[in-house]
Amino acid sequence: MIRFWPVLVIIAAFGLPWLPGLPLFWVTLGNEIGIAAIVATGLVILTGIGGMTSFAQASFMGFGAYATAILSTRYGVSPWLGLPAALLASGIAALAIGAITLRLRAHYLALGTLAWSVSLYYLFGTLDLVGRNDGISSIPPLQLAGVKFVDVRQSFTLIALALLASLWASRNLLDSRWGRAIRALRGGSVAAASFGVNIAAARMLAFVYAAVLAGLAGWLFAHLQRAVNPTPFGLNASIEYLLMTVIGGAAQLPGALLGAGLVVIVNDRLQDWLPLLLGHAGNFEVIVFGLLLVLVLQFAPSGLWPLIARRTAATRHTIGTIALPKRATPAPGPALEVSGLRKRFGGLVAVADLTFSLSAREIIGLIGPNGAGKSTSFNLLTGVTKPDAGTVRLAGRDVTGLSAPAMARLGVARSFQHVKLAASMSVIENVVLGAHLRGNASPIAGVFRQDRAEEAALFGEAMRQLERVGLAELADRPATSLALGQQRIVEIARALCLDPSLLLLDEPAAGLRHAEKQALAELLRKLAAEGMAILLVEHDMEFVMNLAARLVVMDFGTRIAEGPPAEVRRNPAVIEAYLGSAA
Ligand code: ADP
Ligand code: MG
């Protein structure tokens, strides 16, 4: 299928600069916008989507620009071979800087990158290798089939094609297994980690990818300007790139071009107008941009692009029919053995001493009043929180203290009491995250779209699980547009995508109507019959008593009773602690 807009952009890339009567000045401005938009595209993925703020994008652009400048002026290397060198230089610099800095979160990360930006600016300005503050000049222009790209119109075409390639690669990345991992980072990474995503790797991927795009922009810049010095790679420039991303619409790729266009044009106009207005020259644009940023954040916090394109159509995913390989059916015997589990938060002992076991094909209800420690127990059993004492065994193997991704790999899947779905993703995209570990396509395969067969199989699996829970019709809806009860069911479909041997559900029936509860009970019975071990935290007593063969009752972090529902119901301690207080 030929998509319409890339064809249009390619025609524009070649035709636009030659438009009769178009002042050359606008073409020059267009070139500036295009290069900036490439940097901003990387920032959309890093900041807008991945939630990591970087004040160092201009520095990464510098690595790319200097790499190709040094190679082409000192060693006579062809500028075309300078391209992979530039991408590699920015990528490796990001890998090194990221390894030190990405441990930091939120504002601290922003400050960390800011520090790098300032240091690298001074480094560029003092290193002899890169010509200190004078930089490197006489950089050879790009040449193709005898044509030298020295003319701004030819440069325009080249830049437009590079931007198009960047947008294409970025869209592919976002629409891949690793791209979904990056998209799931925003708003807490617990869910992603619980389905096996290596959070540190996903963050690093976004960081390096954004730097590589900045390196591409740096390479273009070096060969089109034919000279480089530290100024365009300083903190001011980095702030402008961030501004473009925020103003354009931080979470959407077209926002990068919109933001770059606005900032470059406004910047250019202001340099003419402000001195007239204020009577003398100076860096007053900074103040105007500051105001502009405050206004955008106030009135259009998601940037301006969403105002232009109200709703982006849901991405169409190919739903494959080839089934994914399944985990071996677990041997009969205890699937989960918990013994003496303990967790303290400061002065509060949330889980004091929890002991119970659960077999394959069994459904157990974990009940108890609010604050009894049920959700904390779930976090301890799934590797989200590390226990202070006690052991957890999975099919006989000691797994105490393993990480959430490691537990996911061993077949433990869960849902959350407070629903954790990515708001920016559709229902099926959220569900397919559950199958993250059942694919193995690399980010590079994703960028070049070599992952389509695997993706179709993963989406096929997600669709089957959605059909199983009865939500197939809502697959393409934004996940958070569903009723809360349905979102819980989406979480179950996501958990099933992991092909779990142990399923932990935290209040799955909350917010469901009677018929929906019955359908859920039916599904859970069927899953247990197929060999799954299911641990259920539930407040709806009728629901859990009809479903579970055994109940484990918790109060103040300990097990106060255990047994068949009918027996537990008559237990005086339970009546006292739980049913009594509810009655
Ligand atoms: P339940 O799910 O049974 O209602 P929780 O496991 O959520 O109970 O909470 C048990 C106790 O531990 C509560 O008193 C709660 O406030 C406390 N708690 C839970 N998580 C944390 C945390 N991360 N930090 C401090 N206290 C916590
Ligand atoms: Mg809870």
Side-chain angles (χ1 to χ4, degrees), residues 345 348 350 369-377 417:
F345 294 115
L348 177 92
N370 268 328
K374 305 179 296 293
S375 293
T376 305
S377 302
Q417 180 183 353

Side-chain angles (χ1 to χ4, degrees), residues 334-343 351-358 377 380-381 387-394 396-401 535 552 554 557-559 562:
L336 173 72
E337 294 158 279
V338 182
S339 152
L341 206 59
R342 189 180 171 83
K343 179 69 194 179
V351 176
D353 173 22
L354 182 64
T355 302
F356 71 92
S357 72
L358 170 62
S377 302
L380 295 173
L381 297 178
D388 298 326
T391 55
V392 179
R393 287 175 169 278
L394 214 57
R397 173 177 166 187
D398 189 349
V399 296
T400 317
L535 184 63
V552 174
M554 283 182 86
T558 22
R559 179 186 64 180
E562 177 174 350

